[in-house]
Amino acid sequence: MSSLAFRVLGPLQVHGPAGPLRLPPGRQEVILAALLLEANRVVSTNHLVDLIWEDDPPETARTQVQICVSRLRKLLAGADGEVTITTRPPGYVLHTDPANVDAALFTGLVLQARRLREQGELVPAVRLLREAVTLWQGECLSGLDGGPLANKARQLNEERLAAVELRIQLELELGRYDGLVGELQLLTHEHPLREKLHGQLIQALYWSGRQAEALEAFRTARRFLAEELGLEPGRELRELESAILTGELPAPSGSVPVRPSGGKAPEGSSPTAGPEKGEGAEGAGTPAAPAQEPARQDSVPRQLPAAVADFVSDAGQLAALEEALTGRPGRTTVGLAAITGKPGTGKSTLAVHVAHTLAETGFPDGQLYCDLRGTTGAPATPEEVLGRFLRALGIPGQLIPESLDERAEMYRTRLASRRVLVVLDDAAGEGQVLPLLPGSRGCAVLVTGRARLTALPGAHRVELDVLAEDRALELLSRIVGRERVATEAAAAEALVRTVGRLPLALRIVAARLAARPHWTLASMVQRLANERHRLDELAHGEMTMRASLSLTYEGLAPEDRRLLRLLSMAHAPTLPSWLAGALLDDRRPFPSDLMEPLVDVQMLDVAGVERTGGFRYRFHEIIRVYAREQLAAQHPPEERREALARMAGGWMYLAQQAHGKVYGGDFTVLHGDAPRWEPPVSYTHEVLADPLAWLDAEQAALCSMVEHAADEGLHDLSWDLATSLVTLFEVRGHYDLWEQTHLRALAAVRKAGNLRGTAAVRASLGSLYMSRNQFDTARQTLISALDVFQALDEPMGEALCRRDLALIARTGGDDAIALELYRRSLADFDRAGDVVGRAIVLTQSAHIRMRQGEIASAQGQLDEALEIYEGVGYTGGRARTLRRVGQLLLEQGRSDLAVLTFTEVLELCRDSGDVIGEGHLLRDLGHAFAMMGRPDRARDFYDRAVTAREDVMDFSGGALARLDLARLLETEPGRSRELLVPAVEVFRERRMSRELAEAERLLTIAC
């Protein structure tokens, strides 16, 4: 062990044999802190530059970093030669025993404590947690400027508080109530927003015999949350109060959570061993980091739209719905309720209100919501809805099956042990709903629709009509004010009758009155008297609703009316504010100002808030129909086409920017010549801070725009947008959307005779077929696209086609053909000036070099690819290349560095939500530790790979990890049989003949 000790859990300090080392303040402190926080891992030079200069580095920044590192090397070498800082592209690594860094010690002690808790060893777990917290001497890196290091420091500070909370929980389970009260009173004073600490204080007081003080502690927490945040306490605190009041608070339990299937806890984790102990003499250079990675959490969907504050309904109706959904005594089937009625009667409002009422108490495992679009003419298919729900429940897109039956089976399996409420809004009919019903009686489904839905088995049905007069008056009072309604009682009654007591119509006219307090209710009744333009087909005939909408519409300014008409062209479920600017060709910085006049009179609803703070908007379908009528009457086809082109151009601009943010530039994609419409710069900057999250959120709107543009003859925009969306489709596994959008775009470009667009779509479809392992179809499609690109002399298109054809050849074992195609693809990418395309080819072809034993050549290609990815900031490419680097290091016998590399890639996968990649990397780490002769660590990682794969229903990946683990456990026949039996079934079902033969061989030995 080194004689140097590094402290970051407090002020940055270095202690040597002769006492503290003096660190030069400023840049050297920042660099040392960054290297220590990532000890034994590469920290890029670019990252260090950003830490010191943030957004404005000088031209000599990299040189100055090198100088600082050189000085730190001398300082550390003078104190202890065992601690070194080495150069490793793309930056530097500080090598030291993890036991020398207090942060690593802290993390290791907490991890050991958690393992002991799982084994039921609470007393030693408490001791380790106390030891871990004593390492802290203040806030992490206190004294250093905030800057980018502050995020990592905040993370460690949060882990300290989590360790304190865990230790207190264990002491509560051990019955040490009295001794915790004082400490918890201090902690809740220092951290008043942490509800867990408040809950622990309440329990400690109650079980110390101080019931009144426990209730007062709850009230203190509630007052603080209400005054500071305007929030009520969470469910756990409220349940504690209720249990105390009823005398039913259970004593804290020491029960141990059930361990996931797949093996024992790792050996060598005794209460006294630090994280570096028990790993063998050869472990001096092996990182402890893999054991410290956070566990991935199951997805808990919370998809309900916002409820309205001025909701009115029948109390008996609400009670019956709640009983039907939460369960009658003896119920053995899923709870099912259907709300039906005419448009505008409040079906969706009632459903969302009931769902929010029951969400926390009745369905704590989540709420799924989908607008089935039953009245739009393009209803959502059950396959589409199941795909969305499975993703919300944590299943990666790549693992979602194609067929409806398989999706439904996976959906029912995922919900089998959960209490989830499913809200299906605007159903077209029973056939759309039946495949979406869970099989578990713990779940419930609430359906709305215009049809009566009488064929839903066992459903409790509520058919809504117009509001009773008293509730209609109550709704009017809540919107315009009780005093105003009381003053004009007769006019109020006339008003609700005039609009047919339809909630939607009443809300519209009430909003007008609320916005204009000088108008009387009687004047509104008079304005509604002319029935010539009424739209009330769903109330008392067509006239009443039209009167409400026409009155509001005619009261708008001319430009607002024009915007309403043009907005009706959008097919997106919700509308971002920039659409208003695009449709009107208005480039003001805050386009939401254009939408607000329509919101004021409830011709548009606010559907939510974006990360930018801007609003999203939504049409009621009746109003959209009315607006489209006006659009057809007042705008000639050419004017509509121009507005549509601007809207599509706006989506295209944002999608192109998102692709560039992901790839570090406009790389590996072809574009058409159609003009873009650029939303405000501030909006673009904010929404694309996380480009994949934006693409996920806007998926429905973007796909709809591809199809809409294709239908309207905007073929250049259609194919360009479709191929740009592969950035999302490929990462998330949205293969069905990939195909759907591309086939629509392909039809449009073929009809228009657009050869370049046709080839671009075909090339992208070739990539899709390749991802689905349809290699013959992929090869034919890619060759046909390549022929066109060669005729057009389009180097980017040729490069993309040859790259994918090479990958098909490589997969089939035709290395010579693959290398020639890669060589030509590389030349094409160079001709097109696409550096990321070059890096992808280098990474893919390096795998062949490795197979052929050309290690130096493979290493050179991977080094060049990494340099390119670092230069442009393409994280996904860097992760894939680093994984190849790790495999190459294993081939060279450099297992310790391979482990470091795999660990870094694993963190990248987890940061991006790539659960498939996580399973691959856990298995890679298992291989690495097996090659190092460390079976306990290999077993741990194989075990975790099995769990990671099977948790997301990737049973073939899980079977491969089971086979790896069985090889390792040939001396444990019972455990081997347990692993191999399900693996054999999977290999047989998936026709994986080579793996099946190996598994059957091992199973024969185990038997």
Side-chain angles (χ1 to χ4, degrees):
M1 181 182 292
S2 166
S3 57
L4 282 181
F6 299 96
R7 293 178 181 171
V8 296
L9 304 181
L12 177 63
Q13 297 177 3
V14 181
H15 289 264
L21 269 66
R22 182 184 177 280
L23 294 173
R27 296 170 186 169
Q28 290 184 50
E29 279 187 318
V30 171
I31 290 174
L32 180 59
L35 293 172
L36 287 172
L37 289 174
E38 304 292 337
N40 299 307
R41 299 198 312 212
V42 176
V43 178
S44 74
T45 304
N46 288 341
H47 178 60
L48 296 176
V49 169
D50 290 342
L51 289 179
I52 297 171
W53 289 281
E54 296 192 32
D55 297 328
D56 190 25
E59 292 184 1
T60 60
R62 298 177 71 89
T63 302
Q64 293 187 51
V65 167
Q66 292 172 356
I67 293 169
C68 290
V69 169
S70 176
R71 291 172 178 171
L72 284 172
R73 283 171 173 158
K74 292 178 182 178
L75 177 69
L76 298 178
D80 183 348
E82 296 183 18
V83 178
T84 60
I85 301 176
T86 61
T87 301
R88 180 180 168 195
Y92 304 95
V93 183
L94 187 148
H95 298 279
T96 186
D97 192 315
N100 298 332
V101 184
D102 58 358
L105 273 176
F106 167 78
T107 305
L109 289 168
V110 171
L111 179 64
Q112 287 183 287
R114 292 185 186 277
R115 288 175 175 168
L116 288 171
R117 187 203 185 189
E118 291 175 351
Q119 297 164 6
E121 300 290 336
L122 303 190
V123 174
V126 168
R127 185 172 65 249
L128 286 180
L129 287 168
R130 286 189 179 278
E131 183 182 344
V133 174
T134 59
L135 294 170
W136 288 74
Q137 299 181 347
E139 294 289 309
C140 180
L141 296 177
S142 56
L144 284 185
D145 290 338
L149 277 179
N151 289 333
K152 182 67 175 179
R154 277 192 292 270
Q155 178 186 337
L156 285 168
N157 290 332
E158 175 64 25
E159 290 175 8
R160 172 183 173 274
L161 277 174
V164 171
E165 290 173 341
L166 176 59
R167 191 261 304 162
I168 290 172
Q169 183 60 39
L170 298 186
E171 297 208 56
L172 285 171
E173 293 175 8
L174 289 168
R176 301 172 179 175
Y177 313 124
D178 290 333
L180 294 172
V181 171
E183 179 184 6
L184 281 166
Q185 287 173 331
L186 177 62
L187 286 169
T188 54
H189 176 74
E190 292 175 344
H191 308 284
L193 296 179
R194 295 185 79 90
E195 292 193 28
K196 187 173 185 67
L197 290 173
H198 286 291
Q200 290 174 332
L201 173 59
I202 291 167
Q203 293 180 76
L205 287 167
Y206 181 84
W207 290 107
S208 298
R210 299 157 70 175
Q211 179 176 342
E213 292 179 67
L215 288 172
E216 180 57 32
F218 170 81
R219 294 178 187 123
T220 299
R222 181 169 61 187
R223 280 195 301 270
F224 181 86
L225 292 171
E227 291 170 1
E228 294 296 320
L229 303 177
L231 297 175
E232 281 293 306
R235 185 183 66 189
E236 292 185 8
L237 281 186
R238 297 199 307 272
E239 289 179 351
L240 277 176
E241 181 203 28
S242 299
I244 291 173
L245 291 172
T246 58
E248 297 175 353
L249 180 66
S253 169
S255 61
V256 180
V258 179
R259 291 184 59 79
S261 62
K264 304 174 183 176
E267 298 176 8
S269 58
S270 67
T272 57
E276 73 284 6
K277 297 287 198 283
E279 296 187 353
E282 74 277 20
T286 303
Q292 301 167 9
E293 294 138 4
R296 182 171 40 80
Q297 299 295 316
D298 283 340
S299 298
V300 178
R302 309 286 187 192
Q303 296 185 335
L304 295 178
V308 299
D310 51 21
F311 175 79
V312 295
S313 187
D314 184 316
Q317 197 177 71
L318 290 175
L321 279 169
E322 291 175 10
E323 181 183 8
L325 295 171
T326 55
R328 303 180 182 92
R331 187 182 80 187
T332 59
T333 58
V334 63
L336 181 57
I339 303 172
T340 62
K342 296 179 289 294
T345 51
K347 301 180 295 296
S348 300
T349 302
L350 174 59
V352 170
H353 176 84
V354 171
H356 276 288
T357 301
L358 300 178
E360 290 192 5
T361 56
F363 302 97
D365 297 326
Q367 303 86 45
L368 296 168
Y369 173 89
C370 185
D371 178 2
L372 298 183
R373 308 193 303 272
T375 58
T376 64
T381 64
E383 293 93 331
E384 173 189 347
V385 178
L386 287 170
R388 287 181 51 186
F389 283 176
L390 287 169
R391 289 187 184 91
L393 291 167
I395 303 299
Q398 297 93 326
L399 301 183
I400 295 175
E402 294 291 326
S403 76
L404 172 60
D405 289 344
E406 290 177 313
R407 289 188 178 195
E409 289 168 5
M410 182 180 283
Y411 170 70
R412 290 193 293 270
T413 300
R414 200 65 170 168
L415 293 183
S417 59
R418 303 188 185 193
R419 294 170 62 196
V420 173
L421 176 62
V422 182
V423 180
L424 303 173
D425 200 10
D426 192 20
E430 295 87 348
Q432 192 183 25
V433 172
L434 290 172
L436 308 178
L437 299 182
S440 166
R441 66 178 181 179
C443 295
V445 180
L446 182 55
V447 188
T448 75
R450 294 183 186 180
R452 295 183 184 276
L453 303 174
T454 53
L456 289 179
H460 171 78
R461 291 179 184 82
V462 174
E463 183 163 352
L464 294 183
D465 201 346
V466 295
L467 291 173
E469 185 164 327
D470 59 340
R471 289 201 297 276
L473 289 169
E474 174 63 17
L475 177 59
L476 182 63
S477 298
R478 292 186 181 187
I479 297 174
V480 305
R482 296 189 184 279
E483 181 179 351
R484 200 169 169 192
V485 170
T487 301
E488 295 187 78
E493 292 172 4
L495 180 59
V496 298
R497 286 195 301 270
T498 303
V499 298
R501 303 196 307 277
L502 272 173
L504 175 62
L506 185 55
R507 284 182 181 280
I508 293 169
V509 296
R512 295 271 296 168
L513 288 165
R516 292 164 176 78
H518 55 285
W519 282 14
T520 64
L521 274 63
S523 69
M524 180 61 80
V525 174
Q526 185 177 3
R527 296 171 75 94
L528 288 170
N530 188 339
E531 297 182 354
R532 288 179 305 164
H533 304 294
R534 291 187 178 177
L535 176 67
D536 74 346
E537 62 182 89
L538 302 172
H540 302 293
E542 192 172 290
M543 304 304 290
T544 305
M545 197 65 185
R546 179 170 285 120
S548 301
L549 294 172
S550 295
L551 178 62
T552 305
Y553 174 78
E554 294 299 338
L556 292 169
E559 197 67 3
D560 296 333
R561 292 201 298 268
R562 179 169 181 254
L563 175 60
L564 182 72
R565 297 191 299 266
L566 294 174
L567 281 171
S568 70
M569 290 194 298
H571 291 178
T574 62
L575 312 175
S577 59
W578 66 263
L579 274 185
L583 289 166
L584 297 176
D585 204 14
D586 185 316
R587 299 184 180 273
R588 68 183 66 195
F590 300 105
S592 59
D593 292 347
L594 296 167
M595 297 282 211
E596 288 304 312
L598 301 179
V599 174
D600 289 344
V601 294
Q602 295 205 28
M603 297 296 272
L604 279 183
D605 294 326
V606 176
V609 181
E610 296 183 308
R611 290 192 305 271
T612 62
F615 296 107
R616 293 188 73 86
Y617 303 88
R618 176 175 51 220
F619 266 116
H620 186 285
E621 190 56 31
I622 299 171
I623 300 175
R624 190 195 299 271
V625 169
Y626 175 82
R628 284 177 178 168
E629 286 184 3
Q630 298 299 316
L631 177 74
Q634 300 190 42
H635 293 268
E638 187 56 37
E639 187 178 344
R640 296 200 298 268
R641 182 184 172 88
E642 289 172 0
L644 182 64
R646 290 193 298 272
M647 177 168 64
W651 286 117
M652 184 62 239
Y653 176 83
L654 290 169
Q656 187 172 346
Q657 294 298 309
H659 172 91
K661 289 278 284 186
V662 171
Y663 279 80
D666 211 16
F667 300 118
T668 69
V669 68
L670 279 165
H671 288 302
D673 300 325
R676 276 47 167 168
W677 194 92
E678 184 176 350
V681 173
S682 58
Y683 178 90
T684 304
H685 176 75
E686 290 291 339
V687 298
L688 295 182
D690 187 343
L692 278 175
W694 179 82
L695 287 166
D696 271 328
E698 298 289 8
Q699 169 199 302
L702 290 161
C703 293
S704 175
M705 193 69 253
V706 171
E707 298 176 0
H708 195 179
D711 292 343
E712 296 297 327
L714 301 175
H715 53 90
D716 230 20
L717 280 166
S718 180
W719 79 257
D720 201 344
L721 184 55
T723 55
S724 295
L725 292 182
V726 173
T727 307
L728 172 69
F729 299 153
E730 195 168 33
V731 171
R732 297 290 190 253
H734 294 324
Y735 297 149
D736 47 356
L737 291 176
W738 190 341
E739 184 170 46
Q740 176 184 319
T741 54
H742 280 53
L743 291 179
R744 290 290 287 274
L746 184 60
V749 291
R750 278 175 166 173
K751 182 178 179 181
N754 185 334
L755 291 178
R756 187 167 179 269
T758 300
V761 177
R762 281 189 166 277
S764 185
L765 283 170
S767 296
L768 167 64
Y769 300 143
M770 190 172 59
S771 299
R772 287 176 166 172
N773 296 326
Q774 298 170 303
F775 294 117
D776 289 340
T777 305
R779 185 183 297 106
Q780 294 169 10
T781 306
L782 288 165
I783 289 171
S784 69
L786 179 59
D787 289 343
V788 176
F789 284 136
Q790 287 177 309
L792 296 175
D793 191 23
E794 177 60 73
M796 175 63 76
E798 294 180 52
L800 292 171
C801 290
R802 289 191 174 107
R803 179 200 66 190
D804 288 349
L805 287 167
L807 184 55
I808 293 171
R810 192 187 91 192
T811 304
D814 297 328
D815 286 355
I817 294 174
L819 284 175
E820 174 59 20
L821 284 166
Y822 278 133
R823 183 190 66 76
R824 297 185 67 184
S825 177
L826 202 64
D828 292 331
F829 276 125
D830 288 345
R831 193 156 58 102
D834 192 315
V835 293
V836 167
R838 176 180 179 82
I840 292 172
V841 170
L842 290 171
T843 300
Q844 290 185 5
S845 58
H847 188 245
I848 299 177
R849 302 296 184 191
M850 290 165 59
R851 274 199 314 223
Q852 296 179 341
E854 300 176 25
I855 302 301
S857 178
Q859 182 67 64
Q861 290 185 198
L862 294 173
D863 286 345
E864 183 182 347
L866 278 175
E867 185 177 350
I868 290 171
Y869 290 139
E870 287 287 346
V872 300
Y874 179 24
T875 304
R878 179 171 177 269
R880 285 188 284 274
T881 302
L882 280 176
R883 184 178 177 224
R884 293 290 183 213
V885 170
Q887 293 169 344
L888 185 60
L889 289 168
L890 277 183
E891 291 284 336
Q892 296 173 306
R894 301 165 69 186
S895 303
D896 53 346
L897 290 177
V899 168
L900 279 170
T901 304
F902 288 145
T903 301
E904 183 178 354
V905 182
L906 181 60
E907 290 174 353
L908 292 172
C909 290
R910 285 181 170 163
D911 287 345
S912 64
D914 181 3
V915 291
I916 299 293
E918 177 183 342
H920 283 305
L921 268 298
L922 289 170
R923 189 171 173 228
D924 286 337
L925 283 162
H927 293 337
F929 281 112
M931 291 181 66
M932 294 167 69
R934 302 179 64 182
D936 287 344
R937 298 299 301 280
R939 176 176 182 164
D940 179 43
F941 280 105
Y942 284 144
D943 223 344
R944 290 161 64 187
V946 171
T947 302
R949 291 298 189 88
E950 294 182 353
D951 272 356
V952 294
M953 297 188 179
D954 178 11
F955 295 113
S956 57
L960 289 170
R962 284 175 176 271
L963 182 59
D964 294 328
L965 193 51
R967 290 192 190 100
L968 203 65
L969 301 177
E970 285 193 59
T971 58
E972 299 182 29
R975 177 70 176 125
S976 290
R977 281 195 302 274
E978 179 185 338
L979 290 162
L980 290 168
V981 169
V984 166
E985 292 180 6
V986 172
F987 293 145
R988 185 175 291 121
E989 178 186 340
R990 306 292 167 89
R991 299 181 180 179
M992 301 168 70
S993 55
R994 185 176 59 187
E995 291 80 3
L996 176 61
E998 174 68 2
E1000 288 177 334
R1001 182 187 71 79
L1002 291 173
L1003 191 57
T1004 302
I1005 296 172
C1007 292

